[in-house]
Amino acid sequence: MDRYKLLVLVLCFSLTTTDPVGPESRRDSEKNEEDDVSNEVEETKGKPDSEYIKELTDAMNKEILTLQEYADAMKSQSSKDETNKESHLEQMAYTLKLLQKSLKKHSEPTWLPNQKAELSVNEKPLEENPQDILNSLPPLPEETEPELTPELKEAKELYDAAVAKLDRRTLDVDASILQIKQAAEVGYVPAKIKLAWSYLYGEGVEIDFEKAKSIFEELAAEGNADAHAGMGFLYATGIGVPVSQAKAVVHYTIGAIGDSSYAQMALAYRYWSGHTVQSSCPKAMDLYMKVAAKVASKMTLNGGPAIHRTRLIDEVEGGGGALDTDLIEYYQLLAEKGDVQAQVGLGQLHFQGGRGVTLDINKAYHYFQQAAKTGNAVAHAFLGKIYLEGGDGIVADNDTAFKYFKKAAELNNPVGQSGLGLMYLQGRGVPKDTTAAFKYFTMAANQGWVEGQFHLGFMYFGGIGVRRDFKQANKYFSHASQSGHVLALHQLALMHAHGLGVLKSCTTAVELLKSVCERGRWGARLQAAHGAWRAHSPHRAFLQYAALAERGYEVAQTNAAYLLDNGDVRLFPEAERHVRALQLWGRAATQGCSAARVKLGDYHYYGLGTPQDLEAAAHHYRIASEQLHNAQATFNLGYMHERGLGLAKDAHLAKRCYDLAADTAPDARLPAALALAALHTRLALQDLATYVLQSPLAMIFITGDESALLYNWDLYVITTLLGMLGVVMYMRRPQQQQQQQQAAN
């Protein structure tokens, strides 16, 4: 027993003096072994390959030497250049030094992980962020306009005065162009550009393509963006040079980079329409946005001069366009006799310009003053606008403007209410009060006044005096844009471009931005071209319309095509006339012009400028009829159905098309009635011919058997009577249908 106790004591002692080995201890042991192996691998990897480091260092040093040689070469060349370029070269050298430091950091062995710890504590590592390097660069010198010589200063003043006269649409164009020519002869570049376009348009000078081309080429060689735009127009239209759309795109691109508004609009339109370049909505939006920003920045609160757009094809067929001189003189006579409505009407015409009336603030002020003496609210409101902005010798006066606006607002005139709101919003002559501004803008907007709607949308957009609300801003901007307010169109375009309050849409934004761009000061060229056409100068009119057509103006494309279609323009070979017209009709039709779409159908129907294709003609007619509701296109479809030309021959469809044409436009009722009468007559004659061929006399003539007359005489009489009765019933069918329809109504 004692022996067993001794063995138990020995076993307990051995267990207390030794570590138990189990599954957990075995796992820990294996983990320690793996850690030892990984440490050995890391130590092995940490030791760099000396040959690799040497090759990397040599490559970096070689790159540094190359950059240094480039900097030295540029510095040596800078001694031959002007002194104003030295700062740029010094900046380049400084940048290369920083780059050299950054490259050396990566070329030395200190970048290795196992040697980072050997850096001294006080030594700061080089910056790795490229933005920090850029931030450490010295600022670029401000680009200032070169100092003009006294001669160029005088030329600039002469040029500015002439352009101001042209912007006011003065009738003395020749004198203004003469001033521009004098400034160009001195060497003032903007005057040279303007003179080159004048040679193209024949404005104030004779048309001379060679002189225009020479000026554009000279300035384009110097890098002038507007000159590149001019060369792009020449190559695009083949005026003075062979047609080359590739060269046109190149010149437009260079001009657009140089911030030429003409080149930017022309290139944006090509990207939007896919003409000679791959269609790209983002690129078109980017270019249009640059031009739209310029237009919006120069737009006054009055909205700028009015631009009257007239399609020559509509004016010839339906009248309209500019006001006749006799009519203007008649209104002037009424105004001098005290007719208030005539005074207000003439005042508004001279205030905004357009319709053949010259923009003249002084004349507008004269007529508004006469009407204001009678207490006319509109006259008071526009006098307030004149005193708020000033111009043409009239000094801006906030107190006087406030007095006129207040008088008009008391008479519940929306123009006066909007004017008061603007003065309170901006604090012009009165303490700034956004609450009062919001109240007056709301009153004006509720009456449908476009400026009240715009400013109310602007307050919602910016959260001025109210809680910011993009949906409300979009609502009021949309209302104002329907009246053509340029700033409202611009704001609405930006909202669609960035998706503020509306779904983000590149297509909608581009269309709105295009509308803004087309309301720039260059839009006045439409009226100048129309004036040239009325003065029986088709070449001058065509060239101006062609220049605007390159910018993307649908009206200009339609009018230029119309002049080519009529044969009034003799600038191109006769074989090219219809081809060029077809191209312009196609561009205008793409932008939704129904008359241009019908012309496309006509050109394919008759084979003008393209092989004859009746199916293509029917396709264009159908688009104009179903989508654009053009009565002429519907009538043409009826004719093609009646004759079976390019469409299935179907008298019922032809009659339906004629009826639809008569319902679409009152002018189409008479042609549709004549066409329906002809259709009914044709059908009646066809039925009569069928009955005649079945008569006994016809059978005798055909078979030579006289017995047919005896046996078929009764049948002949019966069928003849039935045929005549059928003709009468067929002729009366439309009248019966019309009576039934009236009775049902």
Side-chain angles (χ1 to χ4, degrees):
M1 190 69 181
D2 294 337
R3 185 179 301 174
Y4 288 110
K5 291 181 179 178
L6 182 62
L7 291 174
V8 170
L9 290 174
V10 172
L11 179 61
C12 291
F13 178 78
S14 62
L15 290 174
T16 56
T17 56
T18 59
D19 293 331
V21 178
E24 295 296 332
S25 61
R26 186 181 296 110
R27 188 182 300 113
D28 294 339
S29 177
E30 292 176 358
K31 183 177 181 181
N32 292 333
E33 292 177 1
E34 291 177 359
D35 292 341
D36 294 338
V37 173
S38 63
N39 290 334
E40 293 177 359
V41 173
E42 287 183 359
E43 290 179 0
T44 305
K45 288 184 178 179
K47 297 179 181 180
D49 188 357
S50 58
E51 295 182 358
Y52 171 74
I53 294 175
K54 184 178 180 182
E55 292 178 359
L56 180 62
T57 304
D58 293 341
M60 291 295 183
N61 290 333
K62 185 177 180 180
E63 186 68 21
I64 293 169
L65 291 175
T66 303
L67 293 173
Q68 188 63 45
E69 291 175 0
Y70 176 74
D72 295 339
M74 293 297 294
K75 258 189 176 180
S76 62
Q77 183 66 24
S78 65
S79 60
K80 302 179 182 179
D81 298 336
E82 299 177 359
T83 56
N84 59 352
K85 295 183 180 178
E86 293 180 358
S87 59
H88 295 278
L89 296 175
E90 292 176 0
Q91 181 189 10
M92 183 184 296
Y94 181 74
T95 306
L96 291 174
K97 288 180 181 179
L98 292 175
L99 182 61
Q100 181 179 2
K101 291 180 181 179
S102 178
L103 291 174
K104 281 184 176 180
K105 172 182 179 297
H106 297 287
S107 63
E108 295 174 356
T110 56
W111 68 276
L112 295 172
N114 62 338
Q115 296 187 6
K116 280 187 177 180
E118 298 179 5
L119 293 174
S120 62
V121 179
N122 296 328
E123 184 180 356
K124 295 182 179 180
L126 293 175
E127 297 290 342
E128 296 183 0
N129 189 1
Q131 187 62 38
D132 296 335
I133 298 177
L134 296 176
N135 293 337
S136 64
L137 294 174
L140 287 171
E142 296 183 0
E143 295 185 2
T144 57
E145 294 184 0
E147 186 68 22
L148 298 178
T149 62
E151 293 80 6
L152 289 178
K153 287 182 179 179
E154 294 180 2
K156 183 179 183 302
E157 294 176 358
L158 197 64
Y159 170 78
D160 292 339
V163 170
K165 292 180 183 178
L166 293 175
D167 289 342
R168 289 197 300 269
R169 301 171 186 175
T170 179
L171 298 178
D172 192 6
V173 177
D174 293 347
S176 300
I177 298 301
L178 180 60
Q179 290 179 336
I180 292 174
K181 190 174 182 180
Q182 293 173 356
E185 290 174 352
V186 177
Y188 189 57
V189 175
K192 287 184 175 182
I193 295 293
K194 185 70 175 178
L195 183 61
W197 285 107
S198 297
Y199 280 125
L200 277 177
Y201 299 150
E203 185 181 40
V205 292
E206 294 294 329
I207 296 177
D208 195 330
F209 298 146
E210 288 300 323
K211 287 184 179 180
K213 175 187 171 185
S214 175
I215 295 174
F216 283 144
E217 287 180 338
E218 175 189 351
L219 296 179
E222 299 175 1
N224 186 278
D226 293 319
H228 278 290
M231 290 301 300
F233 168 72
L234 294 180
Y235 279 113
T237 56
I239 296 176
V241 294
V243 176
S244 176
Q245 298 299 333
K247 291 183 179 179
V249 171
V250 170
H251 282 290
Y252 282 150
T253 303
I254 297 174
I257 294 173
D259 203 31
S260 168
S261 298
Y262 185 96
Q264 289 170 343
M265 281 189 70
L267 194 60
Y269 170 71
R270 288 178 178 244
Y271 279 122
W272 178 68
S273 63
H275 174 58
T276 69
V277 296
Q278 186 176 0
S279 179
S280 175
C281 185
K283 290 182 179 180
M285 184 173 67
D286 180 61
L287 291 167
Y288 273 133
M289 198 171 287
K290 294 177 181 178
V291 183
K294 301 176 192 175
V295 174
S297 64
K298 295 182 180 179
M299 191 61 58
T300 63
L301 297 175
N302 295 332
I307 299 174
H308 188 69
R309 306 187 180 197
T310 305
R311 290 189 180 89
L312 300 183
I313 189 171
D314 295 338
E315 183 172 347
V316 171
E317 295 176 358
L323 295 175
D324 293 332
T325 305
D326 295 339
L327 185 58
I328 296 175
E329 292 178 354
Y330 173 70
Y331 279 120
Q332 290 175 348
L333 180 62
L334 292 178
E336 295 301 329
K337 288 185 176 181
D339 189 301
V340 178
Q341 296 300 325
Q343 292 168 349
V344 173
L346 286 173
Q348 290 176 329
L349 281 174
H350 284 292
F351 182 76
Q352 296 181 340
R355 301 298 297 272
V357 179
T358 305
L359 190 149
D360 193 330
I361 300 298
N362 288 312
K363 286 186 178 181
Y365 177 81
H366 168 72
Y367 288 117
F368 285 140
Q369 279 284 7
Q370 290 182 345
K373 293 177 182 178
T374 63
N376 185 274
V378 178
H380 278 94
F382 276 91
L383 283 172
K385 292 170 72 71
I386 290 175
Y387 275 109
L388 187 66
E389 293 296 323
D392 284 355
I394 300 176
V395 181
D397 189 338
N398 291 329
D399 295 335
T400 307
F402 183 82
K403 180 186 71 173
Y404 281 116
F405 281 143
K406 188 172 181 60
K407 179 65 176 177
E410 291 173 354
L411 298 173
N412 198 31
N413 181 269
V415 183
Q417 293 167 348
S418 178
L420 281 180
L422 184 62
M423 296 191 75
Y424 278 115
L425 179 64
Q426 298 180 349
R428 301 180 65 172
V430 292
K432 185 178 292 187
D433 188 345
T434 56
T435 303
F438 183 81
K439 180 186 73 173
Y440 283 115
F441 287 145
T442 303
M443 295 170 63
N446 290 337
Q447 297 190 61
W449 180 237
V450 59
E451 293 183 8
Q453 294 167 343
F454 165 72
H455 290 296
L456 198 58
F458 184 76
M459 293 186 74
Y460 276 115
F461 183 82
I464 304 172
V466 293
R467 185 176 62 85
R468 176 174 289 179
D469 191 337
F470 289 137
K471 291 186 177 180
Q472 287 292 326
N474 175 66
K475 169 187 171 182
Y476 287 107
F477 284 149
S478 298
H479 288 327
S481 65
Q482 291 174 3
S483 300
H485 195 281
V486 178
L487 298 178
L489 285 167
H490 186 231
Q491 290 293 333
L492 198 61
L494 295 179
M495 294 182 71
H496 280 282
H498 300 289
L500 300 176
V502 293
L503 291 176
K504 189 174 182 180
S505 174
C506 178
T507 303
T508 305
V510 167
E511 291 176 354
L512 292 169
L513 289 170
K514 183 175 181 291
S515 298
V516 174
C517 296
E518 290 180 357
R519 284 167 170 79
R521 57 182 178 80
W522 41 80
R525 183 63 57 187
L526 284 171
Q527 186 170 330
H530 183 260
W533 178 75
R534 291 175 66 89
H536 305 288
S537 182
H539 286 175
R540 288 173 50 210
F542 171 79
L543 291 167
Q544 295 180 77
Y545 281 134
L548 292 173
E550 279 294 302
R551 286 182 182 261
Y553 283 79
E554 176 267 315
V555 175
Q557 294 168 348
T558 303
N559 291 345
Y562 173 80
L563 293 173
L564 287 170
D565 182 69
N566 280 355
D568 297 332
V569 178
R570 305 290 182 181
L571 299 174
F572 311 105
E574 182 64 21
E576 297 181 8
R577 181 166 65 88
H578 287 110
V579 176
R580 291 175 176 270
L582 179 64
Q583 184 185 49
L584 290 168
W585 287 128
R587 295 186 190 179
T590 305
Q591 299 196 57
C593 178
S594 62
R597 182 66 67 177
V598 173
K599 281 292 184 179
L600 278 181
D602 293 344
Y603 273 50
H604 284 90
Y605 184 89
Y606 294 107
L608 300 176
T610 182
Q612 187 179 27
D613 190 341
L614 297 180
E615 293 182 359
H619 169 72
H620 290 296
Y621 289 146
R622 185 173 289 110
I623 292 176
S625 174
E626 296 177 357
Q627 299 180 11
L628 305 175
H629 308 290
N630 186 283
Q632 179 67 58
T634 309
F635 182 91
N636 293 350
L637 286 174
Y639 182 84
M640 296 180 75
H641 273 299
E642 180 184 354
R643 303 299 178 105
L645 301 173
L647 296 172
K649 189 173 183 179
D650 192 325
H652 298 288
L653 286 178
K655 180 181 179 303
R656 178 174 176 79
C657 290
Y658 290 145
D659 291 335
L660 287 175
D663 294 338
T664 303
D667 295 341
R669 291 176 182 173
L670 179 59
L674 295 175
L676 285 171
L679 177 62
H680 293 155
T681 304
R682 182 186 299 276
L683 294 176
L685 291 175
Q686 289 177 357
D687 294 341
L688 182 61
T690 302
Y691 292 131
V692 169
L693 288 175
Q694 294 176 356
S695 67
L697 293 176
M699 295 176 64
I700 293 172
F701 179 77
I702 295 173
T703 62
D705 185 5
E706 295 181 359
S707 61
L709 179 62
L710 178 62
Y711 297 115
N712 296 296
W713 178 254
D714 295 336
L715 180 62
Y716 168 72
V717 173
I718 294 173
T719 54
T720 302
L721 291 175
L722 290 175
M724 294 177 64
L725 180 62
V727 171
V728 173
M729 294 298 295
Y730 187 85
M731 294 294 291
R732 293 189 58 186
R733 189 185 306 169
Q735 297 178 359
Q736 293 175 356
Q737 291 177 354
Q738 185 175 4
Q739 291 174 359
Q740 292 175 1
Q741 184 177 1
Q742 292 177 355
N745 294 333

